[in-house]
Amino acid sequence: MTQSVIPVNLPQNAYEIALASDSLDRLGVWIKSLNLGRKVMLVSNPTVFGYYGKRAVASLESAGFEVHHYLFPDGEEYKTLDSVSGLYNAALEVGLERNSTFVALGGGVVGDMTGFAAATWLRGIGFIQVPTTLLAMVDASIGGKTGVNHPQGKNLIGAFYQPRLVLIDPMVLATLPEREFRAGIAEVIKYGVIWDADLFRQLEAAKRLASPRDISNQLLHEILMRSCQAKAEVVSQDEKEAGLRAILNYGHTIGHAVESLTGYTELLHGEGVAIGMIAASRLALALNLWSADDDARQAQVIAKAGLPTTIPPALDIDAILAKLQTDKKVKDGQVRFVLPTSIGHAIVSDRVPPDLIQNTLASLQKQTVQT
C-alpha cells in the first residue's frame, strides 16, 4: 500500500495525517520530527497493547524517548472522568511536563480519553493519535474532538484539542474483529453520503463490505484516504463546529441516543450510526429533501456492510425522544438533524416535526418486530 500524507489545514495547530503500511514501526521517527519533549506516555487498552504495545514502545525508545505506558480498561462503558483521573495520576507519578506527549494507541475510546487528558493536563500537552480501528482511522482520530461520556449522554464532557499528528498503519486492521470493521464502514458510508459521491459509488461497486477480506488493498487505501480527506476538508473549514462541521454528525443524533439507552454494551458506535443514517434518510424522504432512489441506494450499501438498520425492539420510543433533548447539537430546545439532499450533499435542520420523528422511529422498530 502506498504512503499518503493528508494535511489538516487549520489557521493554528495544523497537522498531518500520515497513512502508510507498517508505519507503526516508524512511530518514533515521526514523533521525533515534531521536536517534542523526551518523555512519552503511551496510552492504550490491554487488548491493543497486547498486540502492538511492544512494537510501539520499541520504536519510541529507539528514537530516544523515555517511554511510560498506561492502560484504560476495554469498553465504551469506561469512557468516564474516573478513567481519565487514573491517567492523570500516572502522569503525575512519572513527572510528565508541558513538553511531554501522550500517544493514544487504540480505537476511538482510547483516543477520545487520551486527547481529553492531554487538553487538560498542565493546561495542555502534546498528543499523538495512532488509531487501531477502522472507525478511529477515518473519524475519531481526526479533528480534535476529545472527551468522555456523562451518565445522561455521550461525549457531553470534552474539549476541542487537535493532535500533533495522526499516524495510520492499515496493517493493524488485521487483528480487528469483523464486527468492529463493519462499525467503521458505517462512518465511511457517512462520508460518501454527505461529502464524497465518488467514494459512495466505489462502495456501491464493491460486492461486499462486511469483512476486511472482502476489500482489496487498493479499495482499502481509497477508503482510508478519501475518508480522511473528507474529514480534514470539513474540519479545516470549521474547526469547532460553528457551521459546516455539523454535517459530520450525520446518523449520530439518533445513533447516540440508541447507544446510550442500550448502555453502550448492545451496539457499537458505528452500528448506532447506521441505524441513525437510516432514520435520517427516512426523515429526509418524508420532507421531500431527497429521492426514494437515494434512500434505497444508501440502505443497500448499509445492508451490504452487514450493519443494523432497525431499532432494538426493547427500546422505548418515548425514551429515545427524551434522550434526543440531551444531544449536544440541541439549540434553543430544538433537535437538529443532519439530513441528506443527494448523494454527496447534506444540510442541518431544526425544523423536523416531532410527530415525524416519532413516527419514523416507530416504523424502524416495527420492522424489527416483523423480522
Side-chain angles (χ1 to χ4, degrees):
M1 188 177 287
T2 57
Q3 177 174 308
S4 297
V5 176
I6 301 155
V8 183
N9 295 314
L10 298 170
Q12 297 178 324
N13 305 316
Y15 57 97
E16 293 180 332
I17 305 163
L19 166 60
S21 297
D22 295 319
S23 56
L24 182 62
D25 295 317
R26 300 193 299 279
L27 173 62
V29 175
W30 277 97
I31 295 180
K32 195 166 187 177
S33 70
L34 300 174
N35 296 315
L36 299 172
R38 184 167 175 267
K39 285 187 178 181
V40 169
M41 177 74 82
L42 182 70
V43 186
S44 190
N45 64 39
T47 301
V48 174
F49 192 81
Y51 284 128
Y52 302 113
K54 286 184 179 180
R55 284 174 59 189
V57 169
S59 179
L60 291 165
E61 288 181 340
S62 67
F65 291 103
E66 175 190 323
V67 185
H68 307 273
H69 72 269
Y70 182 82
L71 304 183
F72 287 123
D74 280 312
E76 179 87 23
E77 63 268 33
Y78 297 106
K79 190 179 174 183
T80 64
L81 284 173
D82 284 345
S83 294
V84 173
S85 181
L87 179 53
Y88 292 148
N89 293 338
L92 182 64
E93 186 176 335
V94 302
L96 290 196
E97 303 163 350
R98 282 189 169 171
N99 68 345
S100 300
T101 306
F102 282 135
V103 177
L105 176 70
V109 172
V110 168
D112 282 5
M113 288 198 289
T114 305
F116 182 67
T120 50
W121 183 251
L122 302 179
R123 297 190 174 93
I125 69 171
F127 162 49
I128 308 292
Q129 287 271 27
V130 186
T132 59
T133 67
L134 179 60
L135 190 148
M137 289 177 181
V138 301
D139 187 65
S141 67
I142 306 164
K145 278 190 176 181
T146 72
V148 297
N149 298 333
H150 184 275
Q152 296 303 312
K154 188 176 172 74
N155 294 326
L156 292 180
I157 305 164
F160 286 99
Y161 194 68
Q162 301 295 340
R164 297 291 303 275
L165 170 73
V166 178
L167 187 67
I168 297 175
D169 184 348
M171 303 305 290
V172 304
L173 294 175
T175 54
L176 187 68
E178 287 192 3
R179 186 181 176 193
E180 295 273 1
F181 182 85
R182 292 193 293 272
I185 289 291
E187 294 284 358
V188 177
I189 296 169
K190 175 193 78 175
Y191 290 123
V193 174
I194 67 168
W195 194 257
D196 188 341
D198 186 59
L199 172 60
F200 188 87
R201 284 189 288 268
Q202 291 187 54
L203 298 175
E204 278 187 304
K207 290 184 178 179
R208 294 186 72 241
L209 294 168
S211 164
R213 295 189 301 274
D214 299 331
I215 297 175
S216 66
N217 286 341
Q218 181 180 358
L219 179 56
L220 179 59
H221 185 81
E222 279 289 303
I223 282 172
L224 292 170
M225 182 181 67
R226 297 187 78 104
S227 297
C228 290
Q229 284 177 333
K231 183 76 176 273
E233 288 167 6
V234 173
V235 169
S236 295
Q237 294 181 51
D238 179 17
E239 180 180 1
K240 296 189 176 179
E241 206 168 299
L244 175 67
R245 184 169 176 168
I247 67 170
L248 295 175
N249 294 308
Y250 180 54
H252 287 59
T253 303
I254 288 172
H256 279 170
V258 171
E259 271 188 276
S260 177
L261 290 169
T262 54
Y264 304 110
T265 57
E266 184 176 333
L267 291 169
L268 299 178
H269 173 65
E271 293 171 339
V273 169
I275 295 168
M277 288 192 292
I278 293 289
S281 174
R282 300 292 168 79
L283 292 173
L285 185 60
L287 293 168
N288 295 314
L289 292 175
W290 84 333
S291 68
D293 180 61
D294 284 341
D295 174 70
R297 290 174 66 193
Q298 178 190 261
Q300 288 166 1
V301 172
I302 290 173
K304 186 190 298 184
L307 289 161
T309 58
T310 55
I311 293 171
L315 288 189
D316 180 69
I317 298 300
D318 288 337
I320 298 175
L321 293 170
K323 184 62 69 174
L324 292 179
Q325 291 297 324
T326 68
D327 188 86
K328 300 184 300 301
K329 297 174 288 300
V330 169
K331 187 175 183 180
D332 298 327
Q334 296 296 313
V335 180
R336 295 191 297 162
F337 287 93
V338 182
L339 301 174
T341 56
S342 64
I343 298 297
H345 300 278
I347 62 169
V348 179
S349 175
D350 61 1
R351 297 189 176 187
V352 182
D355 60 337
L356 177 58
I357 300 171
Q358 184 169 16
N359 292 340
T360 299
L361 293 173
S363 70
L364 292 180
Q365 193 172 57
K366 186 178 180 182
Q367 290 177 25
T368 307
V369 174
Q370 289 175 342
T371 56

